[in-house]
Amino acid sequence: MQHETIPLPKTNAYGFYEIRLESIGGLGANLSGKILGELGALYLRYNTANFASYGSEKRGTPVKSYIRYAEPDKEIRISSPVEKPHLIGIFHERLAGKTGVLAGVDEETAVVVNTAKSPDEIRREFQMHGGVLTCIDGMKITVEEKTRMNMIMLGALCKASGFLPFECLEEIIRETIGRKYPAMLDSNLRGLRRGFEEGTTKAFPNDETYPYVPFTEERRSLGWDNAPLGGVVVTAGSTVSNDVSASREGYVPLFHQEKCIQCGMCDTACPDMVYQFVKGEWKGKPAMVNLGPDYHHCKGCLRCVEVCPTAAITAGIEYEQDIWKQHVRNQDLIVERLEFEDLGANSIVNEEKY
Ligand code: SF4
Ligand code: SF4
């Protein structure tokens, strides 16, 4: 389906309409960026560019995706990060306060946040200078419709843009996801529509209580020529200190240590090596003892639940936080937020962090 070209509602000094997606690995922001790029190029005849910045393929690391649209007669010859987006999608509320997430956002920007909270709460939490803020409870819809977070966010971003045609977005999902995963198509389309319809939007004028955050480029101060011998691992990705993060998609495995027989099936089945085993003792004999999941990299696929022979792992719902937090193995390590910026693509090692 080709739609007639819709004049871009706003452009910057270079003639571009710019979108930035802020996310963490596993929530599908990279694919969302590609879909928005294709939507502009194939269905609306814009010139478009899309690229992403992310670290390892591990769940839980920061991801940024950038999309630029230009009218058909205008070329795009830059590939620098989007510094002042017209539209921004924040795939998880836990990104609040992270460096650069709100860079360039003001009352002219349409902001979409995946959260169960209200726009007023999120504006306070993010200390957002100004913007037209849409809150969508993506986690809940994902679970109810058995779909993926990026479908909900794409629906909400389409609505917040005010000009992207929803029917073209549906069509591109049919063409791409529908071909690859036909069994998932209906649930994805339901998620897309609910994302489009169920957001709560409120406009906030610029307010100096929360100052404008300009885009700044962090520069590395340690490099190949001056890093300490042996390299630097500032924060390893999957360690005992990273107990809680937001990289799952609605479900979490709940670990019941008293039922565990240390068979290791969960470790074998888990695609992200989430279970942590240490040398210890079980029933009076030396054994590798299962400490439970390191939630930092759990994607909530629940394969571990399926394979556990003793029901020592059961399924929980992520947003019922009070329940699943009891299953974090070391209660002292529960934190409200992880410092995502210290990990992955957008982290930069400097002397201070080292
Ligand atoms: S749900 Fe289980 S198998 Fe899936 S990533 Fe999490 S710990 Fe691993
Ligand atoms: S599969 Fe179940 S019983 Fe086996 S180690 Fe994992 S949690 Fe324990």
Side-chain angles (χ1 to χ4, degrees):
M1 176 202 287
Q2 270 224 338
H3 197 281
E4 63 187 51
T5 305
I6 300 167
L8 290 167
K10 306 174 187 173
T11 52
N12 60 17
Y14 303 100
F16 304 146
Y17 181 91
E18 298 188 321
I19 306 172
R20 192 171 73 221
L21 307 180
E22 297 277 356
S23 185
I24 49 179
L27 296 180
N30 189 18
L31 180 61
S32 301
K34 287 182 185 157
I35 289 174
L36 288 172
E38 282 185 26
L39 177 70
L42 302 180
Y43 290 73
L44 298 168
R45 301 186 191 87
Y46 299 138
N47 283 323
T48 72
N50 155 243
F51 58 98
S53 137
Y54 51 90
S56 71
E57 295 291 328
K58 204 89 173 119
R59 307 269 155 165
T61 50
V63 173
K64 288 175 191 277
S65 180
Y66 309 102
I67 304 102
R68 282 196 173 93
Y69 295 153
E71 301 285 1
D73 58 349
K74 173 96 195 157
E75 291 181 355
I76 302 175
R77 291 193 174 271
I78 58 168
S79 55
S80 54
V82 168
E83 300 183 8
K84 194 169 186 328
H86 296 98
L87 173 64
I88 180 166
I90 300 174
F91 279 53
H92 207 293
E93 68 190 38
R94 281 179 189 245
L95 288 164
K98 298 296 149 238
T99 317
V101 167
L102 281 189
V105 170
D106 65 12
E107 63 188 5
E108 299 289 315
T109 319
V111 183
V112 177
V113 182
N114 161 32
T115 177
K117 295 178 184 161
S118 70
D120 286 304
E121 287 172 289
I122 284 296
R123 201 268 173 107
R124 263 196 310 278
E125 208 166 288
F126 275 68
Q127 307 207 334
M128 193 180 81
H129 181 52
V132 182
L133 177 58
T134 298
C135 292
I136 179 85
D137 191 352
M139 204 67 86
K140 192 161 188 285
I141 301 173
T142 303
V143 171
E144 286 174 1
E145 300 296 350
K146 297 184 173 49
T147 178
R148 301 289 306 267
M149 179 62 67
N150 50 5
M151 294 297 115
I152 321 299
M153 286 299 288
L154 278 169
L157 285 160
C158 175
K159 178 75 169 284
S161 75
F163 72 102
L164 292 173
F166 183 71
E167 64 276 17
C168 291
L169 188 59
E170 275 187 318
E171 185 66 21
I172 203 165
I173 298 300
R174 279 197 192 93
E175 287 286 317
T176 53
I177 314 260
R179 271 202 199 150
K180 217 166 168 190
Y181 309 107
M184 292 280 293
L185 181 60
D186 285 348
S187 56
N188 281 336
L189 289 174
R190 284 198 303 274
L192 195 72
R193 180 160 289 281
R194 288 188 64 181
F196 185 80
E197 290 175 349
E198 294 185 17
T200 310
T201 301
K202 186 169 176 182
F204 295 97
N206 291 340
D207 179 348
E208 290 308 324
T209 319
Y210 308 120
Y212 177 75
V213 182
F215 180 86
T216 49
E217 195 180 355
E218 198 179 349
R219 296 208 171 263
R220 74 180 67 240
S221 49
L222 289 174
W224 63 272
D225 53 348
N226 63 349
L229 283 178
V232 182
V233 180
V234 180
T235 44
S238 182
T239 72
V240 290
S241 63
N242 290 330
D243 256 67
V244 187
S245 87
S247 59
R248 297 156 302 274
E249 294 179 8
Y251 294 100
V252 282
L254 306 180
F255 178 56
H256 312 276
Q257 198 159 31
E258 69 288 355
K259 291 187 184 170
C260 177
I261 57 171
Q262 325 304 339
C263 68
M265 291 294 285
C266 52
D267 189 41
T268 310
C270 176
D272 277 313
M273 293 178 285
V274 165
Y275 285 89
Q276 306 284 307
F277 285 75
V278 291
K279 276 186 185 170
E281 207 174 78
W282 187 66
K283 295 204 168 181
K285 291 186 182 159
M288 293 301 285
V289 177
N290 191 352
L291 290 179
D294 177 342
Y295 286 107
H296 189 79
H297 295 300
C298 172
K299 66 184 78 168
C301 67
L302 301 185
R303 285 183 206 167
C304 54
V305 174
E306 283 171 33
V307 299
C308 179
T310 61
I313 315 171
T314 54
I317 303 282
E318 181 178 354
Y319 60 76
E320 293 172 353
Q321 295 211 356
D322 291 342
I323 297 176
W324 73 264
K325 277 192 174 179
Q326 294 160 19
H327 294 260
V328 175
R329 63 184 177 279
N330 185 343
Q331 294 290 305
D332 292 339
L333 293 176
I334 291 183
V335 289
E336 284 308 314
R337 280 189 197 123
L338 267 187
E339 296 302 316
F340 290 117
E341 292 297 325
D342 286 343
L343 295 163
N346 301 303
S347 67
I348 291 205
V349 176
N350 55 29
E351 283 113 342
E352 201 183 314
K353 286 176 186 167
Y354 178 65

